[in-house]
Amino acid sequence: MSTPKKVSALARLAEITATPHPVAPAPPSPNESIVRYTAEIPKHLHRELKVFAMDHDTSTYAVTKSLLALLAEDEDVRRKVVEVLGRE
């Protein structure tokens, strides 16, 4: 059985900086007020959200904010949401 190789700090730094990180949504304009939004969701969806956020090295807040931005900006996303709503 072979022993694992020690990874140098420089190699680890190169690995971390080479990992693509998601782009954060744009912050609201200075004139736009912030509103707190709270939602109750089924446990399995909460888990999906948390796992997705962890897999992409970001927060659940950033994922949710990105989804809302897509809903506002992307007609295909809007259409898919309407389809899902029709199934409920």
Side-chain angles (χ1 to χ4, degrees):
M1 182 175 192
S2 65
T3 58
K5 294 181 181 179
K6 184 176 179 181
V7 178
S8 74
L10 288 177
R12 179 71 182 130
L13 179 62
E15 179 184 328
I16 291 169
T17 56
T19 303
H21 294 285
V23 177
S29 67
N31 299 335
E32 188 174 5
S33 62
I34 299 295
V35 177
R36 179 171 297 277
Y37 177 78
T38 304
E40 294 179 6
I41 59 173
K43 190 172 186 172
H44 77 278
L45 290 178
H46 182 254
R47 179 173 170 68
E48 290 290 330
L49 177 61
K50 292 291 251 185
V51 169
F52 183 90
M54 288 188 316
D55 286 349
H56 293 86
D57 194 27
T58 191
S59 68
T60 57
Y61 168 75
V63 173
T64 304
K65 191 173 175 185
S66 296
L67 288 169
L68 292 171
L70 282 172
L71 183 62
E73 299 166 1
D74 190 316
E75 186 60 40
D76 289 335
V77 172
R78 280 188 233 153
R79 216 171 300 126
K80 288 178 183 179
V81 170
V82 169
E83 287 174 19
V84 171
L85 290 172
R87 290 183 278 189
E88 293 181 351

